Structures are given as C-alpha cells and as structure tokens.
C-alpha cells in the first residue's frame, strides 16, 4: 500500500472495549493489484459476544451523558476524519478499488454524516400531548434503543459506517460494527480516529471475521436491540428472520433496480451526464446505480450516440492512476454476473454498442458497456447488475414506461429527465420508489432521507429522520396532577 502520512491509521486488529485485539489472519487484498494489504482477526462468535458485552457495559454511561457531550465527541471525530481524509482515502482505494478522487469524495460524504449527527444530537426532543383526563398529563419521551449492531457493505467502506454509527451514537446508543470482510481497514481507521476523539471504551466496537458466525450473534443476542444492515435483499431477509427470535428492530437498506427515464422533452445533454453519474459511480456498484435506461423513441438514437461517446472516455485502470474513472469490480463473481447479463440479453436480441467484455487489463476490470434493443424479458430487467453495464430500452408512451419502471420487487431509487412541469409532478408521484431524482443523477446527501420501499428496505438513513431508527418512544401517563385551572 502507498505509505500513509499517519501510519497508525492502518490497524489490523478488531476494536473491542477500547482496545485493538485479536490475532490477524484473514487476508485483505487490493482488488486492482492482488497485493496483500494486511491481515485482520476472525473474532468468531466468542469475539462478537465480547463486543456486545463491552457495548452493553458502556451503554448506561453513554446514554446517560448529556447530548452536548455526545455532540462534542462526534464533532471531534468529524474534525479528525477531515484532517485524515487523504490517508483514509488511500486506505479506501487500496482495499476497495474505486478511483482515489472518488474515495476522497466518499470520505467527505462519510464525514458529513458525523458532522450532521453531531449537530442533531442536541435536537432530540419529546412532547407533552393533550391528556384524556383533567388531572393527568401525557408525556412522550424518546430514548436510545440500546446496543446497536451495524453490518456494513464493501461498496462504501466509510460512508455506510458513519451513516449508521453517527446517528446511533448521537441518540445515546452504543454500537458493535461488523464491516465487510473485503474492506475492514477503512472501518478500523475510523475506529482509531474515534478513539483519539475520546469516545469512551465500549461505545464503538468493530469486529472482523466470518460474517455468518458474527451475524448469528448480532442478530440473536438479547442485548442487541437494533440490527442495521446495508447489503443485498437476500442477506437482509436472512438477518430479518434471525432477528425475529428476539423481536429486534431491523433497519434495512437493501438492493435496488433503478430505472432512468429520458422523456422526449428532456435536455438530452443533461440526461446523458446524469446517466453517467448515476450509472458509473463506484463502477456501477451502488444500490442506487441506474440499472435500466428507458429512452423515448424520438430521442433514442441521439441519446445512445452521445452516451456511447461519453462512455468511451471513461478511463479504466488502477484507482491511484491519474485520470482513471473506473476501477476494478469487487471480485470474480461480480464480473461473471455482468457477463451473464450481457450474454442473456444478446441471446434474446440485444446489440452491444460499446464494450461487452472483460477489460484487457485482466483481473476484475470490465469494459463500460452499452446495450441497445433491450426488453423486459431479459434478466437484466429484473435483476440488479451491479456493474458497468448500461442497457437501453426504447419506449413510446408515458403510461407504458411507468408500468415498466415499477415492474420490480424493489423500490429504492428512480430517475427521470423531462422539462415538462406537469409531467414532473405526475411521474414523481407515480414512481414506486423511496427516492426519485428529477433531472439529476446524483441524489445522495446527508441532508436527505436515504432508503427504499418494497424489498429495498424498511428504514431511512440521513437527515433528521435517520436518528428516529435509534430512538424508542416511551409514553408516560402522570396521574393525580390536578387541573391547570
Ligand atoms: C449504497 O450503495 O448502499 C449507498 C449509496 C449512496 O449512499 O449513495
């Protein structure tokens, strides 16, 4: 790995009860070069239980401290993250592969959640409601849910950590974080910065290792009261079933299958830029990435020509190389999925306009690919590709395209381009998605509620709504107070 300015940010042990512990033995490699970056421990179920115990022990002190104190510690963590953004991005690109400029952007995005919830910690409030009897008072308190398990994915090794951990800590919860096995080093570096910020021992714990053994503890342990997960719908359903045994809250951010619709009255140049942004962020590996592009018949050819031109300029290579905009995919299985979607589409009549193959660099690099003549019978219409594949469908009618866009079990993000004001309202209201980008391909910000409907999940992260997941509501009825008048 490139040398870090602050070498102590490269931690290779789990973080439990305020100490880095465990024998490093699971390899973490660079997906671009195959280089061994570090080894981390497999703490197994015993280590996971230790971490839950540490979080449970720390809970009363953390929940009992003032909101102002929690806010100040989060703010210090934010300042340290911003101060180490270059090192954090170096670790991130090394273990994840995304271009360094994009990794810097992710660190800033990750930091923004810490900053936002440092501010929000002080705004948690309850209510006094109109009472049912003259001598009674009804109070509503909002209290931390307790120990939170956060299980985070490899595609955003920093931002998905802070988007769960920061609101949990702001609410007064303590946390056991399980980062993805592919990308634990960014999470451990963030934990080291949290330690330096002064977070008390046990308030944040990071466990590395076998997902099944650790996940089993985190979803069944009586002291965990909420499981937050970002990842596939398939795994989300398993975790939900496991958590049902102790009736935990589950906050799920799962897969998507985002449609991107270009109407005949769209600004085509802007739509192409939006498609590039929403399709090729993180090499097509985000759950809000465009998966299906629907273009009106009358502008189809102009759009495809411009999109293909723009995609030709997307330089593929190592994330640290100058000018690179597309790194490797996460692993061989990811490459095979892209290949399978292309093969199925071509076999059913689609045409490859650009790319279509593994990149000559080898490894898990793949060529940015455009397919035309795509139809709803193809696998890529139903499944999320999670790779650099832009399939273009042709449509004629607004009703027809909305039916097609909604024909999926998931409902995370959708995008459309139009300059017709009446259509903007009609279409945004009819799309069955938790988030809609209108004339933009970039919707992610800490200021907005991120989340889906249907099989894309059941919670919201970010904004003033995101902290609600981590707060229980308690109704208190105070009797015998007497009447106010
Ligand atoms: C994700 O892909 O899980 C998150 C993407 C984002 O926050 O924009």
């Amino acid at each position: 790995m490139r040398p870090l300015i602050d070498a102590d940010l490269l931690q290779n042990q789990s973080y439990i009860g305020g100490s880095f512990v465990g024998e490093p033995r699971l390899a973490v490699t660079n997906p671009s070069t195959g280089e061994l970056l570090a080894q981390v421990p497999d703490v197994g179920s015993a280590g996971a239980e230790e971490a839950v115990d540490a979080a449970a022990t720390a809970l009363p002190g953390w929940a009992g401290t003032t909101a102002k104190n929690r806010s100040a510690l989060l703010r210090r963590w934010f300042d340290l993250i911003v101060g180490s953004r270059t090192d954090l991005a170096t670790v991130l690109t090394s273990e994840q592969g995304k271009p360094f400029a994009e990794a810097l952007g992710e660190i800033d995005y990750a930091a923004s959640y810490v900053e936002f919830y440092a501010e929000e910690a002080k705004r948690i409030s309850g209510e006094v409601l109109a009472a049912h009897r003259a001598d009674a008072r009804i109070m509503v308190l909002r209290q931390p849910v307790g120990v939170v398990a956060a299980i985070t994915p490899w595609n955003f090794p920093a931002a998905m950590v802070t988007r769960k951990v920061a609101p949990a800590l702001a609410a007064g919860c303590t946390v056991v974080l399980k980062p993805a096995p592919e990308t634990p080093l960014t999470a451990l570096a963030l934990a080291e910065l949290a330690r330096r910020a002064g977070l008390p021992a046990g308030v944040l714990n990071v466990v590395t290792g076998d997902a099944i053994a650790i996940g089993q503890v985190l979803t069944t342990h009586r002291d965990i009261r909420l499981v937050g997960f970002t990842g596939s719908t398939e795994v989300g359903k398993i975790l939900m079933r496991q958590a049902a045994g102790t009736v935990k809250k589950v906050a799920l951010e799962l897969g998507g299958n985002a449609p991107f619709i270009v109407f005949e009255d769209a600004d085509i140049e802007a739509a192409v830029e939006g498609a590039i942004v929403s399709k090729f962020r993180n090499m097509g590996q985000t759950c809000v990435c465009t998966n299906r592009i629907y273009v009106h018949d009358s502008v189809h050819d102009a759009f495809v020509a411009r999109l293909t031109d723009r995609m030709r300029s997307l330089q593929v290579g190592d994330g640290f190389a100058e000018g690179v905009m597309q790194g490797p995919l996460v692993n061989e299985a990811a490459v095979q999925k892209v290949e399978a979607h292309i093969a199925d589409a071509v076999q059913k009549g689609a045409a490859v306009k650009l790319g279509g193959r593994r990149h000559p660099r080898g490894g898990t690099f793949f060529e940015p690919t455009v397919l035309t003549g795509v139809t709803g019978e193809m696998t890529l219409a139903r499944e999320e590709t999670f790779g650099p594949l832009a399939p273009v469908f042709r449509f004629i009618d607004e009703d027809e395209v909305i039916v097609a866009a909604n024909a999926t079990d998931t409902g995370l993000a959708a995008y459309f381009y139009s300059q017709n004001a009446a259509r903007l309202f009609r279409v945004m209201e009819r799309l069955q998605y938790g988030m809609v980008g209108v004339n933009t391909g970039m919707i992610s910000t800490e200021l907005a509620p991120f989340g889906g409907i249907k099989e894309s999940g059941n919670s919201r992260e970010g904004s003033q709504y995101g902290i609600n997941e981590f707060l229980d509501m308690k109704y208190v009825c105070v009797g015998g107070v007497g009447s106010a008048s």
Side-chain angles (χ1 to χ4, degrees):
M1 190 192 302
R2 288 187 167 194
L4 301 181
I5 303 160
D6 176 355
D8 290 342
L9 286 182
L10 190 60
Q11 293 290 337
N12 64 349
Q13 289 178 294
S14 288
Y15 184 63
I16 300 177
S19 305
F20 284 97
V21 294
E23 187 197 330
R25 55 202 180 90
L26 295 179
V28 183
T29 54
N30 181 327
S32 170
T33 61
E35 175 199 358
L36 176 68
L37 299 170
Q39 290 179 304
V40 294
D42 181 359
V43 300
S45 36
E49 280 179 20
E50 218 180 294
V52 178
D53 290 346
T57 304
L59 181 66
W62 184 247
T65 191
T66 61
K68 190 171 167 128
N69 189 32
R70 288 199 296 273
S71 168
L73 283 169
L74 282 168
R75 179 72 208 188
R76 270 210 291 282
W77 192 26
F78 164 76
D79 288 337
L80 292 175
I81 293 171
V82 171
S84 294
R85 71 191 280 276
T86 307
D87 277 348
L88 290 168
T90 300
V91 174
L92 201 163
T93 291
S94 302
E95 67 177 350
Q96 204 275 342
K98 68 177 65 175
F100 186 65
E102 210 175 315
L104 282 171
E106 184 184 335
I107 298 303
D108 294 343
Y109 182 41
S112 72
Y113 285 103
V114 182
E115 181 186 43
F116 184 86
Y117 286 110
E119 293 156 358
E120 208 60 10
K122 291 181 281 188
R123 301 198 184 106
I124 298 167
S125 59
E127 276 180 292
V128 178
L129 304 182
H132 56 311
R133 284 198 318 259
D135 72 335
R137 300 292 181 272
I138 292 178
M139 289 162 49
V140 179
L141 311 185
R142 292 166 81 221
Q143 297 180 307
V145 296
V147 180
V148 166
I151 305 177
T152 54
W154 50 264
N155 61 345
F156 287 88
M160 296 306 101
V161 167
T162 56
R163 193 154 87 183
K164 292 184 192 335
V165 172
L169 299 184
C173 300
T174 55
V175 178
V176 178
L177 166 69
K178 160 79 180 77
E182 294 85 354
T183 56
L185 301 177
T186 307
L188 291 169
L190 289 170
E192 165 61 9
L193 293 174
R195 188 191 66 73
R196 291 182 197 174
L199 212 64
V203 169
L204 172 63
N205 306 274
V206 185
V207 288
T208 56
D210 180 59
I212 295 180
I214 295 173
Q216 182 70 28
V217 172
L218 298 185
T219 50
T220 57
H221 197 297
R222 292 186 66 242
D223 285 343
I224 298 278
R225 292 314 317 149
L226 180 144
V227 179
F229 170 71
T230 296
S232 72
T233 297
E234 191 192 344
V235 174
K237 287 179 183 176
I238 295 171
L239 298 177
M240 203 172 188
R241 276 195 288 272
Q242 290 178 184
T246 43
V247 195
K248 298 186 194 317
K249 283 178 119 177
V250 283
L252 304 173
E253 298 293 349
L254 308 176
N257 179 0
F260 184 102
I261 308 169
V262 183
F263 286 99
E264 65 276 25
D265 47 30
D267 174 338
I268 298 301
E269 195 60 32
V272 168
E273 287 315 307
I276 296 280
V277 168
S278 79
K279 176 71 249 182
F280 291 99
R281 183 164 165 239
N282 198 23
M283 296 76 79
Q285 302 174 115
T286 87
C287 50
V288 289
C289 269
T290 288
N291 202 53
R292 299 167 286 154
I293 303 177
Y294 295 91
V295 186
H296 190 270
D297 186 53
S298 63
V299 292
H300 175 278
D301 294 354
F303 178 89
V304 169
R306 185 72 192 118
L307 178 71
T308 310
D309 247 24
R310 276 290 282 112
M311 281 172 55
R312 246 187 224 109
S313 68
L314 295 177
Q315 201 180 314
V316 178
D318 185 87
F320 287 111
E322 199 58 39
V324 160
M325 295 172 81
Q326 295 290 287
L329 298 190
V330 63
N331 55 29
E332 176 58 26
V335 176
Q336 285 177 11
K337 186 169 192 192
V338 181
E339 285 182 322
H341 280 191
I342 294 172
D344 170 80
V346 168
Q347 193 252 322
K348 291 174 180 156
V352 178
K353 286 281 170 210
L354 182 75
R357 290 173 312 218
R358 288 170 186 255
H359 193 271
R361 285 186 67 95
T364 58
F365 291 93
F366 204 88
E367 293 177 341
T369 297
V370 181
L371 293 182
T372 53
V374 177
T375 65
E377 288 69 50
M378 298 171 184
T379 308
L380 54 72
R382 292 186 306 277
E383 285 180 17
E384 194 177 22
T385 305
F386 233 60
L389 169 58
V392 185
F393 301 66
R394 208 184 261 272
F395 76 92
I396 293 179
D397 179 53
E398 184 180 303
D399 284 343
E400 163 211 344
V401 77
I402 288 174
V403 169
N406 288 338
T408 165
D409 291 333
T410 53
L412 189 59
Y415 307 87
F416 71 93
Y417 276 70
S418 166
Q419 310 240 56
N420 175 324
R423 170 173 273 156
L424 296 188
F425 286 98
R426 261 194 327 266
V427 176
M428 76 171 79
E429 287 164 7
R430 291 181 68 195
L431 285 171
Q432 296 164 354
Y433 288 83
M435 299 177 283
V436 179
V438 182
N439 293 326
T440 177
M442 184 62 193
I443 55 176
S444 303
T445 161
E446 83 282 11
L447 302 175
F450 188 104
I453 58 171
K454 304 204 268 184
E455 294 194 9
S456 287
N458 61 357
S459 70
R460 292 294 178 269
E461 292 184 328
S463 79
Q464 70 268 35
Y465 301 106
I467 201 163
N468 291 340
E469 304 290 344
F470 302 97
L471 292 165
D472 279 333
M473 191 181 279
K474 181 184 283 177
Y475 153 49
V476 181
C477 182
V478 185
V481 174
S483 161
S485 54

